[in-house]
């Protein structure tokens, strides 16, 4: 009978140490399962941890027998200084409600003088900070740390409520709005409107162009400028505003109908006949004719129980309250990457006129117009068509110009912005016929004989359209 002897092992088993280490400090996973926007699971890197909060350090609380806060009346015995009083004293320019909000959110910390807080200690969280309340008493050498967001409270949120005539925008907003002004005289203001800015403000809409201009571009007048015409929220370009009641009324007549704005003055009537607007747009596809005039009446339909509306081509019978809409167009170049640049001249001013005429009358919706060209955008993304040079028959090579930064909203982005821009405008020089007192001069004011009868303005395209223009213009290699 054979006996098997087991060997005794001295010391712990090797896998026991490994198991204990894995429990104490499990290794960080190299990849984790992530779900993208299309609900597709894939492996990816784990999300980074929270960044350390950037803190603003106040000077240490001074030591002394007297009152630490200047401006107080002298007292027989030293007064206690609370933490909120010390912060408000040091950050006098910050609104008091902002300081109090940081205390309420428990974002204010204290640190004694014998501990120094540095960037490395904050990142490694090896500092000695503790949260304090607003009524904690300050001690000599005590230092307070709070987020830098408290200093940003100086710039208030733009128009948190419905703007009124007593609202004054801050300095940065005024400078930004003044940079948009292309022309200013005694009667009108011409601005280059950026995209994504609404025109008229109401209950759910703030920061509209009419309110911003009235608050920041009055230039000392009792009343701010008023909108003569409107642009869509997503579109950009030249925007005309009247600075006086008389100039606003006459220019509004001109944009409504040229015949409505005419008077007995031959010079003024000739200037009204020369009135013109030119838009540039990038459309998907190419119109069948290189140029022409679109005469297609429009009508409005209500959706979602009247909560939304949509403009469509009117029925030929005209029983649905159709409005006349006429647009002249011209193709500016060949089709590149399935798109082409066209020039639009609206001869009437209807809501969404250019967008509906391009999408439904020409069959080429504007790039970024998802309201009237949603299905065409889907086909354009899914089925890119090769483009050929019309004379040689060689295919275009779409390339990105060197040094050109891709900005969100161009044709290279997944969701491009609306490519519709009011580029050029020719209007009568109403300041020549209208005096500062509101008196109308048929032949022009005596002191303005040398001034021209017409004014012509050109506005540069926004950044996303500039990038698209450069890309679509650099197809030849």
């Amino acid at each position: 009978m054979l006996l098997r002897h087991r060997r005794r092992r001295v010391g712990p088993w090797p896998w026991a140490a490994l198991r204990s280490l894995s429990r104490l400090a499990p290794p960080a996973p190299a990849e984790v399962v992530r779900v993208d926007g299309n609900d597709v699971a894939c492996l990816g890197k784990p999300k980074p941890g929270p960044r350390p909060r950037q803190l603003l350090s106040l000077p240490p609380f001074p030591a002394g027998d007297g009152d630490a806060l200047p401006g107080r009346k002298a007292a027989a015995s030293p007064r206690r200084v609370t933490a909120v009083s010390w912060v408000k004293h040091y950050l006098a320019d910050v609104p008091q409600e902002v300081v109090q909000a940081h205390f309420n959110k428990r974002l204010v910390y204290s640190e004694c003088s014998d501990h120094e807080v540095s960037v490395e200690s904050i990142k490694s969280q090896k500092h000695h900070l503790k949260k304090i309340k607003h009524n904690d008493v300050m001690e000599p050498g005590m230092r307070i740390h709070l987020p830098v967001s408290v200093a940003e409270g100086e710039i208030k949120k733009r128009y948190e409520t419905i703007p009124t005539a007593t609202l004054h925008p801050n300095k940065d907003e005024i400078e930004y709005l003044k940079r948009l002004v292309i022309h200013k005289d005694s009667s009108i203001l011409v601005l280059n409107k950026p995209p994504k800015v609404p025109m008229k403000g109401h209950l759910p809409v703030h920061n509209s162009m009419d309110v911003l201009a009235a608050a920041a571009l009055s230039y000392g007048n009792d009343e701010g400028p008023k909108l003569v015409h409107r642009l869509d929220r997503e579109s950009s370009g030249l925007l005309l505003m009247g600075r006086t009641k008389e100039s606003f009324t006459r220019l509004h007549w001109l944009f409504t109908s040229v015949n409505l704005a005419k008077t007995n003055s031959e010079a003024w009537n000739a200037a009204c006949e020369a009135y013109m607007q030119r838009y540039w747009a990038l459309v998907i596809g190419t119109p069948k004719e290189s140029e022409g005039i679109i005469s297609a009446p429009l009508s409005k339909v209500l959706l979602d129980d009247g909560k939304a509306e949509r403009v469509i081509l009117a029925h030929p019978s005209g029983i649905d309250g159709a409005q006349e809409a006429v647009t002249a167009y011209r193709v500016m170049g060949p089709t590149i990457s399935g798109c082409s640049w066209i020039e639009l001249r609206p001869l009437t001013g209807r809501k969404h006129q250019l967008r509906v005429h391009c999408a439904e009358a020409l069959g080429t919706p504007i790039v970024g117009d998802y309201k009237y060209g949603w299905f065409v955008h889907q086909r354009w993304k899914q089925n890119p068509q090769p483009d050929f040079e019309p004379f040689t028959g060689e295919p275009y090579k779409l390339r990105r110009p060197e040094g050109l930064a891709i900005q969100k909203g161009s044709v290279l982005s997944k969701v491009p912005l609306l490519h519709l821009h009011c580029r050029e405008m020719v209007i009568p020089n109403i300041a020549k016929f209208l005096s500062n007192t509101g008196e109308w001069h048929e032949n022009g004011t005596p002191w303005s004989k040398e001034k021209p009868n017409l004014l012509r303005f050109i506005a540069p395209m926004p950044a996303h359209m500039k990038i698209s223009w450069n890309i679509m213009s650099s197809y030849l290699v």
Side-chain angles (χ1 to χ4, degrees):
M1 182 176 177
L2 297 177
L3 296 177
R4 295 182 180 180
H5 299 279
R6 297 182 179 179
R7 296 181 180 179
R8 294 183 178 180
R9 184 176 182 87
V10 179
W13 295 97
W15 57 80
L18 295 177
R19 185 176 60 180
S20 61
L21 288 177
S22 64
R23 288 182 178 179
L24 292 177
E31 291 184 343
V32 297
V33 178
R34 304 286 295 275
V35 180
D36 57 9
N38 298 326
D39 296 336
V40 177
C42 58
L43 292 179
K45 295 183 179 180
K47 292 183 178 181
R51 296 182 178 180
R53 186 183 297 274
Q54 188 176 0
L55 298 179
L56 176 67
S57 300
L58 301 186
F61 189 74
D65 297 335
D67 195 349
L69 296 182
R72 284 188 175 183
K73 295 182 179 180
S77 60
R79 297 181 180 179
R80 296 189 309 168
V81 178
T82 59
V84 65
S85 301
W86 174 243
V87 175
K88 290 180 180 179
H89 164 70
Y90 191 80
L91 302 176
D93 296 334
V94 179
Q96 296 185 5
E97 58 271 14
V98 176
V99 176
Q100 188 64 44
H102 280 71
F103 276 97
N104 296 339
K105 296 178 182 179
R106 305 300 302 274
L107 298 176
V108 185
Y109 305 87
S110 67
E111 173 245 345
C112 298
S113 59
D114 56 344
H115 298 289
E116 295 294 337
V117 177
S118 61
V119 178
E120 290 76 11
S121 63
I122 294 177
K123 290 182 178 180
S124 60
Q125 297 184 357
K126 293 182 180 179
H127 49 81
H128 299 272
L129 296 181
K130 63 177 182 179
K131 298 179 181 180
I132 60 173
K133 300 180 180 180
H134 68 284
N135 55 357
D136 288 352
V137 180
M138 297 294 295
E139 299 178 357
M142 186 176 175
R143 186 188 294 265
I144 288 182
H145 304 272
L146 65 167
V148 295
S149 57
V150 69
E152 299 172 357
E154 274 187 71
I155 303 177
K156 299 180 180 179
K157 186 178 179 181
R158 291 170 47 172
Y159 305 106
E160 297 177 352
T161 58
I162 301 175
T164 60
T166 59
L167 181 64
H168 299 283
N170 57 46
K171 182 179 179 181
D172 294 337
E173 294 169 349
I174 293 176
E175 293 298 329
Y176 171 74
L177 291 172
K178 288 184 177 180
R179 287 196 299 267
L180 300 180
V181 178
I182 295 179
H183 173 80
K184 177 175 72 73
D185 58 29
S186 59
S187 299
I188 62 171
L189 276 176
V190 181
L191 288 78
N192 185 11
K193 173 190 170 297
K196 292 181 142 185
V197 178
M199 299 299 298
K200 296 290 290 183
H202 47 85
L203 284 177
V205 176
H206 310 313
N207 301 341
S208 57
M209 284 301 301
D210 60 339
V211 175
L212 291 174
L217 300 178
S218 59
Y219 295 102
N221 293 351
D222 296 336
E223 296 183 359
K226 297 182 179 180
L227 296 171
V228 175
H229 68 113
R230 298 187 185 184
L231 298 175
D232 295 339
R233 181 192 184 108
E234 296 82 5
S235 61
S236 61
L238 294 169
L239 183 64
L240 181 61
M241 308 187 78
R243 298 191 64 189
T244 62
K245 184 178 180 180
E246 293 79 10
S247 62
F248 163 77
T249 302
R250 291 186 178 272
L251 290 175
H252 186 69
W253 290 345
L254 175 64
F255 276 70
T256 303
S257 174
V258 175
N259 296 328
L260 188 62
K262 290 184 177 180
T263 62
N264 297 327
S265 174
E266 296 182 359
W268 171 258
N269 294 342
C272 290
E273 291 289 345
Y275 155 72
M276 178 267 298
Q277 289 187 86
R278 275 198 180 98
Y279 287 75
W280 280 8
L282 181 64
V283 299
I284 301 176
T286 305
K288 296 181 180 179
E289 301 293 336
S290 60
E291 58 181 338
I293 296 180
I294 307 170
S295 180
L298 304 177
S299 62
K300 297 179 182 179
V301 293
L302 299 179
L303 306 174
D304 297 337
D305 297 332
K307 297 179 181 180
E309 65 179 12
R310 183 182 177 93
V311 181
I312 60 174
L313 295 181
H315 193 270
S317 61
I319 60 177
D320 53 353
Q323 292 180 327
E324 182 186 8
V326 183
T327 303
Y329 74 93
R330 177 178 66 90
V331 180
M332 300 170 59
T335 303
I336 307 168
S337 186
C339 303
S340 57
W341 289 94
I342 64 174
E343 181 185 89
L344 302 168
R345 286 185 54 192
L347 305 181
T348 57
R350 308 300 179 198
K351 183 177 181 179
H352 295 177
Q353 173 179 324
L354 301 181
R355 297 167 62 179
V356 176
H357 277 179
C358 287
E360 300 188 12
L362 296 180
T364 56
I366 301 175
V367 173
D369 188 2
Y370 306 103
K371 184 172 185 177
Y372 298 104
W374 171 253
F375 297 104
V376 178
H377 274 78
Q378 287 184 321
R379 293 198 302 268
W380 172 53
K381 291 295 182 182
Q382 295 173 358
N383 301 319
Q385 299 179 356
D387 303 297
F388 300 92
E389 211 280 332
F391 299 101
T392 62
E394 297 180 357
Y396 286 127
K397 295 182 179 180
L398 186 63
R399 65 178 177 88
R400 172 185 170 188
E402 296 181 0
L404 181 64
I406 300 178
Q407 178 175 335
K408 183 178 180 181
S410 65
V411 290
L412 295 181
S413 62
K414 295 182 180 179
V415 185
L417 298 178
L418 182 67
H419 284 58
L420 180 61
H421 177 72
C422 181
R423 183 178 182 270
E424 184 180 358
M425 182 183 296
V426 177
I427 59 173
N429 187 5
I430 191 172
K432 181 176 181 179
F433 300 89
L434 193 64
S435 64
N436 296 334
T437 59
E439 183 180 359
W440 181 261
H441 297 266
E442 296 290 346
N443 298 321
T445 55
W447 56 85
S448 62
K449 293 182 179 180
E450 298 180 356
K451 292 184 177 181
N453 294 339
L454 290 174
L455 297 176
R456 179 173 178 262
F457 307 103
I458 295 180
M461 291 186 293
H464 70 280
M465 290 189 65
K466 284 182 181 179
I467 295 174
S468 300
W469 176 271
N470 293 336
I471 293 172
M472 308 301 278
S473 302
S474 61
Y475 48 85
L476 294 179
V477 179

